[in-house]
Amino acid sequence: MPSLIDIRRRIRSVKNTQQITKAMKMVSAAKLRRAQDRVIAARPYVALLSKLLADVAAAAADEPAGENPLLAARPEQRVLLVLITADKGLAGAFNSNLIKGAQRFMAERAGAHFKLELAGRKGRDFFRKHGVDIAGEYTGLSAKPAYADMAAIARKAMDMLRAGEIDAVYMLYNEFKSVMTQRLTVTRVLPVPLPDRSEPMDFIYEQPAAELLGELLPRYVETEFFRALLESTAAEHAARMTAMESATSNAAEMIDKLTLHMNRVRQASITKEIIEVVSGAAAGE
C-alpha cells in the first residue's frame, strides 16, 4: 500500500497536469474563435465563386475554344491525394482518423498509383515510414494559415495535371462543423467538378467566356485548397479544446479519488496508533 507521502506526491503531480491541460484548453479556445471566424467568412465566397464558375463554364461550352484541361475528366489511374493533418498531437482522434481515412481511400482504389502531398507533421511522419510516394511535405501551415502557401500547392497540382503526370487530385481533411463535431471529408478538386446550375444566370461577358473560365478555374482551385486548410485548422483547435477539457475533467476525478484514498489511509493510520496506545496502556496495568 502506498504511503501518505506517495499519495500526496501523486496528487500534486495530477494537479500540475490539470493546470497544464486547463491552460491548453483556454489557448485552443482563443485560437478556435479566430479560426472559426475565418472559416465562416470563407464559405460564402467559395460558394458564390463555385456558382459563377458553373455559369461561365456553361457559356464557354458554346465556344469553339476546346475543353479546359482542368475540367477534362479521365480514368483515374494516377491520383494525387492532398492530406491535411496537424503538426501537433493532444487533439483526441483528430490525426488518427485522417491517417486511417487516407489508408482506406487508397485501399478502395487499389488499382491506382498514388502520390501524396502531406500538409502537417503527423501525416508526414506516419507515411514516411510506410513507403508511400510522397510528392511534397509541408509543416507549420496551420500555425498561421496563409493563402499564398496553399495556392503554391494548388498550382503545383494543376501543373502536374496539365503535364499528364496525374489524372485526378483529391483532398482529405477534417471539416469544421461545431466545437464537438469534425467531419472527415474527401473531395475531388481536379478535374474541377462543376455544381448543378439550379438557378442559371445569363451574363453578358466583355471577354470570351473561355478566356474568363481559364482565369477563374485556377483561382477557384487555389481558394478550395485554402478553404480546406481553414476548415482543418478550426477543426484541429476544436478537437484539442475538447480533448483538453476532457483531460481536465478526468484529472479532477482522479484528484478526488486520490484525496479520498489518502484520507482513508490517514484514518487507518490514526486508528492503528490509537489501538496501539490503548493496547500498551492495558498491558501496563
Side-chain angles (χ1 to χ4, degrees):
M1 180 181 292
S3 65
L4 284 173
I5 294 176
D6 293 332
I7 297 174
R8 289 193 183 101
R9 187 181 296 117
R10 182 72 188 280
I11 290 174
R12 283 197 300 270
S13 175
V14 176
K15 284 183 176 180
N16 291 337
T17 302
Q18 185 185 39
Q19 290 177 347
I20 293 171
T21 57
K22 189 174 181 179
M24 292 181 67
K25 173 194 168 184
M26 295 174 65
V27 170
S28 294
K31 290 181 177 180
L32 173 60
R33 282 192 290 271
R34 294 193 294 269
Q36 185 176 357
D37 289 342
R38 297 189 72 179
V39 167
I40 292 173
R43 285 174 178 170
Y45 175 79
V46 175
L48 184 59
L49 183 59
S50 175
K51 183 178 179 182
L52 176 62
L53 191 64
D55 291 330
V56 174
D62 300 329
E63 298 182 1
E67 189 174 21
N68 191 294
L70 299 183
L71 293 173
R74 64 198 79 174
E76 296 180 359
Q77 300 297 322
R78 297 157 299 174
V79 178
L80 178 67
L81 177 62
V82 181
L83 175 64
I84 304 177
T85 61
D87 288 322
K88 302 176 183 178
L90 300 177
F94 181 87
N95 291 302
S96 60
N97 286 343
L98 287 166
I99 291 171
K100 290 176 183 177
Q103 291 177 308
R104 186 167 56 249
F105 177 81
M106 291 187 285
E108 291 170 352
R109 295 163 176 77
H113 173 72
F114 283 91
K115 292 184 178 182
L116 267 63
E117 289 278 354
L118 302 173
R121 185 172 288 108
K122 290 298 181 178
R124 181 203 67 180
D125 292 347
F126 179 86
F127 284 106
R128 266 184 178 179
K129 304 173 185 176
H130 288 74
V132 180
D133 188 358
I134 299 177
E137 303 173 358
Y138 312 90
T139 59
L141 299 182
S142 60
K144 290 185 178 180
Y147 181 88
D149 293 333
M150 293 306 290
I153 302 175
R155 287 192 292 270
K156 178 182 176 182
M158 288 185 281
D159 290 341
M160 292 172 70
L161 187 75
R162 292 189 186 101
E165 298 177 22
I166 55 175
D167 302 313
V169 178
Y170 285 82
M171 276 199 302
L172 197 156
Y173 60 96
N174 273 319
E175 182 182 9
F176 175 76
K177 303 299 290 182
S178 69
V179 173
M180 300 297 296
T181 307
Q182 301 85 43
R183 186 178 67 182
L184 190 68
T185 301
V186 181
T187 180
R188 194 190 81 192
V189 288
L190 287 171
V192 177
L194 295 175
D196 295 331
R197 301 178 68 213
S198 55
E199 298 179 3
M201 298 182 66
D202 268 336
F203 291 100
I204 299 175
Y205 302 106
E206 183 176 345
Q207 61 193 104
E211 183 180 339
L212 184 60
L213 182 65
E215 295 291 332
L216 277 177
L217 276 173
R219 177 62 62 86
Y220 173 76
V221 175
E222 292 173 5
T223 304
E224 275 290 301
F225 271 65
F226 182 54
R227 184 182 70 84
L229 177 62
L230 293 179
E231 295 277 359
S232 178
T233 301
E236 176 191 347
H237 293 317
R240 184 168 292 113
M241 188 184 78
T242 302
M244 291 301 99
E245 183 177 9
S246 177
T248 302
S249 176
N250 290 340
E253 291 180 10
M254 182 172 289
I255 290 169
D256 291 340
K257 290 179 180 179
L258 288 171
T259 302
L260 179 61
H261 181 57
M262 181 185 68
N263 291 337
R264 285 174 175 172
V265 171
R266 185 170 56 188
Q267 185 64 44
S269 176
I270 294 171
T271 303
K272 183 180 178 182
E273 290 177 3
I274 293 174
I275 292 174
E276 288 175 353
V277 170
V278 172
S279 300
E285 292 177 359

